[in-house]
């Protein structure tokens, strides 16, 4: 979280820094700031809240330096005030930072004892004083940073500029991604290539432990041991044109509506559509010998993984263990020989997912990652990468990445089942044909958006909302509740429908809408019994189902009709109504749909 940019430019850079920060706002938006070298000394402008506040500040107090760094923050240490906003600086050095300096308390004590005065509550300020301290003791900027890096513990990406140095910027990466952009007579630094897309597509990614000395004429990269290293220069495919709302009011709306297309792209990567077969990449493991599949991820990506568990167990007949990455990484779970571990992540940078991946790798698992950002750390550290072709997802609430993850997981389940003989050729054809139908079926759901706007008015008045589902619809209930709470701030919980009577039913009364995800499948009858239990207690039932509502046998507050689909593909179809309900409720309530409070898109802290 937190976005970093830096420019060694040929003209004043403040406007371009803010422009690049706008493309990084998905990483955090609590506060923002820029610092430049102004006639040899360092100056900065910072503002609490969204980037537009910083823009306003720069209009009244412009900066004209040609060398500068910028930052958009997701607060970890210290409240999101202007005082705690980056860049942090002394008279000699200015720093932007993404990540957490874990030993900052020790460093602060040490540096305070040496006479340094800390002005903020941030961990980042320790870096400023550490580098300043080295410089005050006679080190040049490069040696000072090198010495400081040796003392830092934790995960960080840093961009550093210096007073009196108009042609120098130092970048360092340990645990948080950093991209260096090569321009003509200009150099750029960014948390990702999208931030730099309007300036350059020539990108060098720093690797773990790397630090780089950047000048307008070029960059020299060093590894952790201080040895010069060559990192490849690649042509980035990130296009600034992709980061645009089109005709939609929010990125989230645009991304919901893109789903037929991006699911279709993702499926075509794993299916031979013409012959209704899976065409899955070699994972480098004999699928017939897999003893267990272990899946781990966070948030929405975890719910995609949970659907994957139902599919892999049902269709491929392989046991699946799944846990959220923040738990699995500390459980010291024994992992089997011949195990396949699957990590699901849109950003490919989620700290807990990455740590769990490393644990699984160290424990002999074959690692496959389902990621949306192919250049991400999770992708690079995996044995096999299964890309989702969702394109950049800017809305903080994940929508199209989720359904593309489901698409990739469904193909994985079929591929494993087919290889092991659990799926016959006929069944493979049936399942692949069902998947090919998904984009069309989703388009039919998207054509009926009016209904959601009406339902949103009612939901916006609720204090609590429950979501119920059974089987592979249970993760959809969890995802529906997460979507609603993260963008509308209404308290919502998802439950396995059968669990209702074991406690949550106590919450039901006339004021609690209960959203039931219930496709007409072999579990519908059981779910209907749970719906009746809710109705008997006055709960307001909103049924999302392709079943005839009259067969439910009780009064419904509303019915959201869905198209009939194959049981395999229902989770992909039912994702859309739960997304639309959350979206329209949030729009009706006037929340910041694309950048909900307290959240960030890429969670690179633990
Ligand atoms: C919710 C959401 C998050 C992410 C989670 C994992 O809408 O987007 O729950 O799914 O933070 O992020 P990635 O997929 O980037 O690992």
């Amino acid at each position: 979280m937190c976005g970093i940019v830096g420019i060694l430019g040929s003209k004043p850079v403040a406007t371009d820094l803010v422009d690049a920060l706008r493309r990084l706002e998905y990483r955090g938006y609590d506060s923002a700031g820029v610092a430049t070298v102004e006639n040899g000394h360092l100056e900065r402008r910072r503002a609490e809240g969204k980037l537009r506040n910083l823009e306003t500040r720069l209009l009244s107090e412009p900066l004209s330096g040609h060398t500068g760094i910028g930052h958009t923050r997701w607060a970890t240490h210290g409240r999101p005030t202007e005082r705690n906003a980056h860049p942090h600086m002394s008279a000699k050095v200015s720093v932007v930072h993404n990540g957490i300096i874990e030993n900052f308390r020790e460093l602060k004590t040490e540096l305070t004892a040496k006479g340094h005065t800390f002005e903020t509550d941030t961990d980042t300020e320790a870096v400023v004083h550490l580098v300043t301290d080295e410089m005050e003791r006679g080190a040049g900027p490069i040696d000072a940073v090198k010495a400081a890096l040796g003392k830092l513990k934790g995960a960080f990406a840093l961009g550093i500029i210096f007073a009196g140095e108009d042609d120098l910027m130092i970048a360092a990466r340990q645990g948080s991604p950093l991209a260096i952009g090569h321009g003509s007579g200009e150099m750029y630094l960014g948390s990702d290539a999208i931030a730099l897309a309007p300036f350059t597509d020539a990108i060098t990614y720093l690797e773990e432990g790397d630090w780089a000395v950047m000048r307008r004429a070029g960059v020299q990269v060093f590894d952790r041991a201080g040895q010069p290293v060559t990192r490849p220069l690649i042509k980035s495919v990130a296009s600034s044109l992709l980061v645009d709302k089109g005709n939609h009011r929010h990125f989230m709306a645009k991304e919901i509506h893109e789903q037929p297309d991006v699911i279709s792209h993702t499926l075509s990567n794993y299916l031979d559509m013409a012959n209704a077969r899976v065409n899955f990449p070699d994972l480098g493991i004999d699928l017939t010998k897999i003893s267990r599949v272990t899946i781990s991820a966070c948030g929405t990506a975890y719910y995609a993984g949970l659907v994957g568990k139902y599919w892999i167990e049902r269709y491929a007949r392989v046991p699946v263990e799944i846990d959220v990455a923040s738990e699995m990484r500390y459980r010291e779970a024994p992992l089997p020989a011949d195990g396949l571990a699957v990590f699901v992540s849109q950003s490919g940078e989620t700290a807990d997912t990455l740590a769990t991946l490393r644990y699984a790798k160290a424990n002999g698992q074959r690692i496959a990652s389902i990621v949306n950002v192919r250049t991400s750390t999770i992708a690079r550290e995996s044995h096999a990468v299964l890309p989702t072709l969702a394109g950049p997802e800017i809305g903080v609430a994940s929508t199209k990445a989720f359904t593309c993850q489901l698409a990739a997981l469904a193909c994985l389940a079929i591929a494993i089942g087919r290889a092991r003989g659990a799926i016959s050729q006929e069944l493979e054809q049936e399942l692949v044909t069902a998947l090919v139908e998904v984009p069309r079926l989703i388009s039919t759901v998207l054509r009926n958006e009016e209904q959601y706007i009406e339902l949103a008015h009612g939901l916006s008045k609720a204090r609590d909302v429950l979501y119920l589902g059974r089987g592979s619809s249970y993760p959809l209930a969890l995802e529906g509740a997460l979507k609603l709470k993260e963008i509308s701030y209404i308290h919502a919980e998802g439950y396995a429908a059968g669990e209702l009577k074991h406690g949550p039913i106590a919450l039901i009364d006339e004021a609690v809408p209960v959203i039931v995800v219930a496709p007409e499948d072999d579990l519908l009858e059981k779910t209907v019994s749970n719906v009746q239990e809710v109705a008997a207690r006055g709960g307001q039932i909103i049924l999302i189902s392709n079943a005839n509502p009259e067969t439910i046998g009780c009064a419904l507050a509303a019915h959201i009709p869905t198209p009939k689909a194959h049981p395999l593909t229902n989770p992909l179809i039912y994702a859309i109504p739960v997304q639309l309900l959350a979206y329209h409720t949030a729009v009706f309530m006037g929340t910041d749909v694309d950048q909900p409070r307290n959240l960030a898109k890429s969670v690179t802290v633990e």
Side-chain angles (χ1 to χ4, degrees):
M1 5 253 293
C2 298
I4 286 182
V5 288
I7 304 179
L8 287 157
S10 52
K11 57 181 185 357
V13 293
T15 310
D16 282 347
L17 286 171
V18 172
D19 183 40
L21 287 176
R22 186 163 295 110
R23 282 183 296 281
L24 287 177
E25 256 193 316
Y26 73 89
R27 302 179 70 89
Y29 35 78
D30 290 339
S31 61
V34 293
T36 52
V37 182
E38 298 278 315
N39 301 318
H41 67 275
L42 295 167
E43 270 204 43
R44 68 179 166 187
R45 305 285 180 265
R46 299 176 297 168
E48 198 174 313
K50 294 290 179 65
L51 210 44
R52 56 181 171 269
N53 301 347
L54 176 65
E55 279 181 289
T56 312
R57 174 69 55 87
L58 279 163
L59 281 180
S60 56
E61 296 171 63
L63 290 173
S64 61
H66 292 197
T67 297
I69 50 180
H71 188 268
T72 176
R73 179 167 187 244
W74 187 83
T76 57
H77 291 71
R79 290 180 57 75
T81 56
E82 180 175 334
R83 189 172 68 93
N84 288 329
H86 298 221
H88 294 292
M89 59 190 254
S90 67
K92 292 185 186 304
V93 53
S94 182
V95 176
V96 284
H97 165 220
N98 165 30
I100 293 179
I101 307 295
E102 283 169 4
N103 58 335
F104 88 97
R105 284 192 188 79
E106 293 98 289
L107 292 171
K108 188 170 176 178
T109 310
E110 216 175 279
L111 288 157
T112 307
K114 283 183 171 178
H116 291 266
T117 309
F118 281 70
E119 289 167 357
T120 75
D121 310 316
T122 67
D123 50 338
T124 310
E125 205 185 346
V127 183
V128 174
H129 290 293
L130 208 48
V131 177
T132 305
D133 192 65
E134 296 291 339
M135 291 178 79
E136 282 171 352
R137 290 194 286 127
I142 300 173
D143 287 337
V145 171
K146 189 176 170 186
L149 289 176
K151 295 182 182 163
L152 298 179
K153 292 202 182 114
F156 50 80
L158 295 168
I160 310 177
I161 55 173
F162 306 86
E165 297 282 353
D166 186 53
D167 191 23
L168 177 65
M169 183 177 300
I170 300 183
R173 173 201 165 134
Q174 179 170 301
S176 300
L178 264 188
I180 289 176
H182 304 252
S184 116
E186 301 198 326
M187 289 294 284
Y188 309 94
L189 177 68
S191 295
D192 66 25
I194 290 182
L196 308 182
F199 312 129
T200 182
D201 62 358
I203 300 289
T204 300
Y205 286 99
L206 294 187
E207 293 187 7
E208 280 298 282
D210 283 357
W211 56 286
V213 176
M214 300 164 57
R215 301 193 190 272
R216 286 182 180 78
V219 59
Q220 169 114 60
V221 182
F222 300 90
D223 66 10
R224 201 187 299 271
Q227 293 305 310
V229 282
T230 307
R231 301 295 179 214
L233 196 150
I234 62 166
K235 202 168 154 55
S236 158
V237 291
S239 158
S240 54
L241 292 175
L242 291 171
V243 187
D244 167 308
K245 282 186 212 151
N247 293 328
H248 294 276
R249 193 164 153 198
H250 298 101
F251 280 110
M252 185 177 176
K254 176 179 172 240
E255 289 158 5
I256 288 174
H257 282 267
E258 279 173 355
Q259 290 178 104
D261 282 346
V262 294
I263 292 170
S264 177
H265 289 158
T266 303
L267 288 173
S268 56
N269 206 41
Y270 301 110
L271 300 179
D272 168 358
M273 299 214 190
N275 295 305
R277 307 287 305 265
V278 271
N279 185 13
F280 214 71
D282 184 5
L283 300 182
I285 184 169
D286 183 349
L287 296 180
T288 62
K289 297 218 169 72
I290 294 176
S291 54
R292 193 173 81 194
V293 176
T294 302
I295 303 179
S296 196
C298 299
T300 288
Y302 166 75
Y303 297 145
L306 198 51
V307 176
K309 173 185 164 77
Y310 282 90
W311 283 336
I312 294 169
E313 290 187 338
R314 172 163 184 179
Y315 293 105
R317 309 303 301 154
V318 182
V320 177
E321 133 103 299
I322 180 163
D323 203 350
V324 289
S326 54
E327 287 301 314
M328 190 174 276
R329 63 178 293 197
Y330 297 114
R331 269 173 42 200
E332 297 181 22
L335 297 172
D338 295 318
L340 172 68
V342 178
F343 296 89
V344 188
S345 175
Q346 188 283 128
S347 63
E349 301 294 347
T350 301
D352 284 318
T353 309
L354 179 60
T356 312
L357 181 156
R358 288 177 180 156
Y359 173 80
K361 204 175 190 180
N363 283 275
Q365 303 302 288
R366 187 78 190 166
I367 310 293
S369 60
I370 296 177
V371 289
N372 201 34
V373 181
R374 276 200 241 193
T375 48
S376 62
T377 313
I378 288 178
R380 277 184 280 134
E381 295 199 14
S382 300
H383 297 125
V385 179
L386 305 173
T388 48
L389 304 180
E393 191 180 62
I394 306 299
V396 163
S398 188
T399 51
K400 62 176 181 170
F402 174 66
T403 45
C404 287
Q405 287 159 356
L406 291 180
L409 283 159
C411 297
L412 173 67
I414 303 172
I416 300 176
R418 186 74 184 102
R420 299 166 74 90
I423 294 178
S424 64
Q425 192 174 328
E426 294 69 49
L427 182 56
E428 177 186 15
Q429 285 186 337
E430 177 188 320
L431 298 176
V432 172
T433 306
L435 282 170
V436 173
E437 284 284 290
V438 166
R440 183 182 63 77
L441 295 176
I442 289 181
S443 300
T444 66
V445 178
L446 289 170
R447 278 201 285 275
N448 290 316
E449 213 170 331
E450 286 301 309
Q451 186 189 10
Y452 298 88
I453 301 173
E454 225 169 86
L455 284 170
H457 295 193
L459 280 181
S460 67
K461 296 188 187 80
R463 204 189 59 183
D464 307 290
V465 179
L466 299 186
Y467 285 74
L468 302 180
R470 246 175 210 274
S472 61
S473 298
Y474 165 48
L476 267 294
L478 296 170
E479 170 62 1
L482 176 65
K483 273 309 74 103
L484 186 71
K485 70 182 133 194
E486 72 180 321
I487 60 171
S488 73
Y489 317 143
I490 295 173
H491 173 241
E493 295 300 337
Y495 289 102
E499 274 293 293
L500 194 68
K501 53 188 156 305
H502 299 289
I505 202 161
L507 297 171
I508 306 286
D509 64 21
E510 293 75 15
V512 179
V514 180
I515 298 174
V516 186
V517 182
E520 194 173 20
D521 58 14
D522 48 0
L523 298 174
L524 179 68
E525 223 174 278
K526 299 276 172 215
T527 310
V528 166
S529 313
N530 306 129
V531 170
Q532 282 162 347
E533 290 154 15
V534 173
R537 285 151 185 93
Q540 300 299 305
I541 298 152
I542 299 175
L543 178 73
I544 308 177
S545 180
N546 63 307
N548 179 350
E550 276 159 26
T551 60
I552 301 302
C554 60
L556 301 176
H559 171 226
I560 299 177
T562 47
K564 181 164 176 53
H566 191 282
L568 170 81
T569 60
N570 276 328
L572 282 137
I573 313 297
Y574 284 71
I576 314 302
V578 298
Q579 293 169 355
L580 287 172
L581 273 180
Y583 173 73
H584 286 291
T585 305
V587 170
F588 184 74
M589 294 174 79
T591 60
D592 193 341
V593 172
D594 284 332
Q595 296 181 336
R597 68 186 183 203
N598 305 339
L599 292 171
K601 185 80 185 153
S602 180
V603 185
T604 53
V605 295
E606 295 165 15

